[in-house]
Amino acid sequence: MNGEYAWAKLNLTLDILGKRPDGYHDLKMVMASVSLRDDVAAEEVSQPGVSLRTNAAFLPTDGGNLAVKAALRFFEALGTPPPGLALSLEKRIPVCAGMGGGSSDAAAVLRLLRRRYAPSMTWEALEETGAGIGSDVPYCVRGGVALAEGRGERLTRLPSLPPCWFVVCKPSFSLSTPALFAQVQVGRLKCRPDTAGILSALEAGDLEGIAHRLYNVFEDVVPRRCGQIFEIKGQMLELGAMASAMTGTGPTVFGLYRDRDAARAAAEVLAKRYPATFFCEPVPECK
Ligand code: C5P
């Protein structure tokens, strides 16, 4: 079995439509994959069970890790017991950062196992298996630019971004996704993203129109102590970004750049204060 790349995702927009009876929220999000990635590999071994080794010593290596959970769910969906599997995970995407790193690792495991054990399994079936692992996993199965609705499992493929670059910067603290969702009062959100507008801008390949519509309702919900988020946004704009927003439930912030050199230079400046700073470009969906 070869390896798979697990790309990070950014939320170009994130809107919350309402709370659902099952405790989750109905969302509307435009997502894009970027070139910051983890590497996932798997090897069949004689020892039964699914094991994981990773360079990120603080991560769980049992079923608490979404990569292991993905392998178990994959064989459940296939209706066969898993063979002995040794997974390896080279982690680069910061965790608890709003970039879907764990979900992307799980999706990469699903693609890897499909290639080896069920090549005729459809993307839709793989996404459905992903939905049982986490809300962002169905999107991460194929990645690229997509609209995700419902819990995150209703996907519409969108045109690729026009040529552009991103600077991605994670402040030194982390935020808990369930805690942030618990704080949202949907009726009290002051601003909402113009999702229809960004979809039209994507259709038209209008980078300016896309940039003007980057927005994440969680920026209105993050605790006061999270001022770094807004400092980084401001710095990105000073350093030439067309626009800047927080991704997912944060705290990572990204800036969208038309100019490659300006993005590189901005990343260098921000990296001096925030070590988890990355220069990225958009990545197309998996084919
Ligand atoms: O599905 P996942 O385990 O990634 O979700 C983590 C948490 O985020 C959930 O427990 C829930 O609190 C929140 N969530 C939500 N609505 C969604 C996705 C996630 O409320 N659509």
Side-chain angles (χ1 to χ4, degrees):
M1 263 175 275
N2 295 324
E4 277 281 336
Y5 294 153
W7 304 110
K9 63 91 180 158
L10 298 177
N11 285 93
L12 303 182
T13 63
L14 193 161
D15 198 6
I16 306 178
L17 305 184
K19 190 159 182 187
R20 304 159 32 135
D22 63 4
Y24 283 86
H25 292 78
D26 274 318
L27 307 176
K28 197 165 195 171
M29 323 183 266
V30 176
M31 326 263 252
S33 304
V34 292
S35 53
L36 171 62
R37 62 162 220 260
D38 294 340
D39 293 346
V40 173
E43 195 187 341
E44 219 173 277
V45 290
S46 54
Q47 192 172 348
V50 178
S51 66
L52 173 76
R53 68 189 160 75
T54 171
N55 62 324
F58 51 87
L59 285 181
T61 54
D62 58 8
N65 190 302
L66 293 189
V68 174
K69 198 168 165 186
L72 298 172
R73 284 293 175 108
F74 175 85
F75 287 102
E76 249 174 64
L78 218 58
T80 58
L85 273 183
L87 302 178
S88 69
L89 170 60
E90 172 88 20
K91 198 90 197 131
R92 293 188 201 86
I93 306 172
V95 302
C96 294
M99 283 186 274
S103 305
S104 192
D105 297 343
V109 167
L110 293 178
R111 292 195 304 271
L112 189 61
L113 297 179
R114 175 177 68 169
R115 211 165 57 219
R116 166 72 175 78
Y117 298 102
S120 61
M121 193 189 258
T122 63
W123 285 113
E124 290 72 22
L126 213 57
E127 287 165 359
E128 208 177 307
T129 307
I133 302 163
S135 302
D136 280 343
V137 180
Y139 159 75
C140 291
V141 164
R142 295 190 68 180
V145 184
L147 175 70
E149 295 175 277
R151 230 186 84 199
E153 81 291 1
R154 260 176 35 228
L155 297 166
T156 310
R157 313 235 60 87
L158 298 174
S160 315
L161 285 162
C164 64
W165 284 269
F166 291 102
V167 176
V168 174
C169 179
K170 181 185 173 290
S172 47
F173 57 88
S174 292
L175 289 172
S176 149
T177 295
L180 221 55
F181 268 108
Q183 273 165 39
V184 174
Q185 289 179 278
V186 179
R188 291 203 168 183
L189 293 170
K190 289 192 215 105
C191 300
R192 313 297 284 264
D194 173 14
T195 309
I198 200 169
L199 297 185
S200 306
L202 279 162
E203 279 302 335
D206 168 16
L207 191 61
E208 197 79 42
I210 294 165
H212 281 148
R213 292 178 176 88
L214 300 185
Y215 189 67
N216 178 344
V217 294
F218 278 115
E219 288 183 33
D220 215 14
V221 180
V222 290
R224 284 228 182 102
R225 64 181 164 81
C226 300
Q228 264 184 15
I229 291 170
F230 302 98
E231 280 168 33
I232 295 171
K233 281 185 69 170
Q235 257 186 295
M236 283 184 170
L237 296 176
E238 276 168 29
L239 292 165
M242 301 172 77
S244 170
M246 189 175 85
T247 177
T249 49
T252 304
V253 169
F254 65 95
L256 172 63
Y257 289 76
R258 189 191 292 281
D259 185 73
R260 186 177 198 276
D261 293 340
R264 269 219 177 274
E268 267 174 39
V269 172
L270 284 159
K272 290 190 183 123
R273 177 140 176 231
Y274 304 101
T277 299
F278 307 90
F279 165 77
C280 305
E281 59 186 311
V283 169
E285 70 189 54
C286 296
K287 296 267 196 271

